Amino acid sequence: VRPTCPQQTSAASGALSGVRALPSEAASAPTIAPPPSTRFLTAQGSLLAFVAGYVDVVGFAALFGLFTAHVTGNFVMIGLELAGTGQGVLAKLLALPMFVLAVAATKLAVTALTRRGVAPLRPLLLAQAVLLLAFMAAGLLALPIQSADAPATIIVGLIGVAAMGVQNAEARIVLSDLAPTTIMTGNTTQIVIDVVELLSPGSTQKDVARTRLRKMVPPLVGFAIGAVLGALAFSTFSFWCVVPPVLILLGLAVAQR
């Protein structure tokens, strides 16, 4: 009787454990990065809210009441200007179409990056950092800013609006699971609702309310701190004060997996 040889299969089939996978085969297995931790996501949202509050105050203080992050607030300022001297209306009117263009460009960029298999958050953070650098440089070149209707003043404002338009769109498209980082009205409303829920006897939604509060409160605090520090920094350093938000965005871009 001839001895029978044990049947062998390839490593790909995995039928027998006696055959080891080749190094090239093991290396070709895709590695999936673990999802970011809840703590990291909370810190990221808080830092982005800090940037929004900071830059919004700098634009408001430097550019005659122009909102760069809370762009719809410019409608209120338009009414105020029309009832007064009328100065600065053009910049605030142009802010909305610039904001729309920035949001549309961000959406198209996310779609293109996703089709190519590229995670879009890092490129968006880098793009916003570049726009804020341009905002700072244009502001420094425009000094002293003495007229709300000067072309240089309007250009500075529109660059700032474009930068924050990217963040607004990014929050809706890429970071939709987080609390908003640029407009705090909705966050504040939800916080009040959840606090009332927690204080209501017999409430059955307390766990949900606590979860939402952990999500909503940090960005609100970050935005408020950014607004205060942005005002103080601008009064001391003029447009050079935009450096910290740029560094924050670059740091967040590096931290992406």
Side-chain angles (χ1 to χ4, degrees):
V1 179
R2 297 177 60 185
T4 58
C5 296
Q7 184 180 1
Q8 294 185 350
T9 61
S10 66
S13 67
L16 296 176
S17 60
V19 181
R20 295 182 179 180
L22 297 176
S24 60
E25 292 175 332
S28 63
T31 58
I32 301 175
S37 67
T38 301
R39 185 173 297 179
F40 173 80
L41 292 175
T42 300
Q44 178 175 260
S46 301
L47 288 171
L48 288 173
F50 176 92
V51 169
Y54 193 107
V55 175
D56 216 17
V57 166
V58 171
F60 190 90
L63 303 171
F64 304 91
L66 177 70
F67 289 103
T68 55
H70 186 201
V71 72
T72 52
N74 290 316
F75 292 130
V76 176
M77 299 305 298
I78 289 172
L80 184 63
E81 297 290 353
L82 290 176
T85 61
Q87 293 183 351
V89 172
L90 180 59
K92 295 174 180 66
L93 285 173
L94 293 176
L96 183 59
M98 174 55 74
F99 184 82
V100 170
L101 287 174
V103 171
T106 303
K107 170 59 179 174
L108 293 174
V110 169
T111 301
L113 290 168
T114 303
R115 285 176 179 171
R116 293 169 56 187
V118 177
L121 185 53
R122 178 179 290 165
L124 293 182
L125 291 169
L126 293 174
Q128 185 182 355
V130 170
L131 287 170
L132 283 184
L133 278 175
F135 173 66
M136 181 182 74
L140 291 170
L141 291 173
L143 292 176
I145 297 177
Q146 299 176 337
S147 171
D149 296 317
T153 305
I154 294 173
I155 290 172
V156 174
L158 295 182
I159 296 174
V161 169
M164 300 315 298
V166 172
Q167 182 169 327
N168 272 278
E170 166 191 290
R172 292 282 186 175
I173 303 170
V174 183
L175 301 174
S176 57
D177 291 337
L178 303 181
T181 61
T182 55
I183 301 174
M184 293 298 117
T185 305
N187 289 3
T188 305
T189 303
Q190 190 61 59
I191 287 171
V192 173
I193 292 172
D194 288 334
V195 168
V196 173
E197 186 73 32
L198 288 176
L199 297 176
S200 299
S203 171
T204 60
Q205 299 294 321
K206 289 189 177 184
D207 289 340
V208 176
R210 288 191 188 95
T211 301
R212 271 199 302 260
L213 284 172
R214 286 193 291 267
K215 177 180 178 181
M216 297 286 182
V217 171
L220 179 63
V221 173
F223 189 94
I225 294 174
V228 173
L229 294 184
L232 294 174
F234 178 75
S235 65
T236 304
F237 302 108
S238 183
F239 277 95
W240 287 110
C241 73
V242 181
V243 170
V246 171
L247 293 178
I248 288 173
L249 292 172
L250 292 177
L252 290 175
V254 171
Q256 301 306 309
R257 296 174 180 176

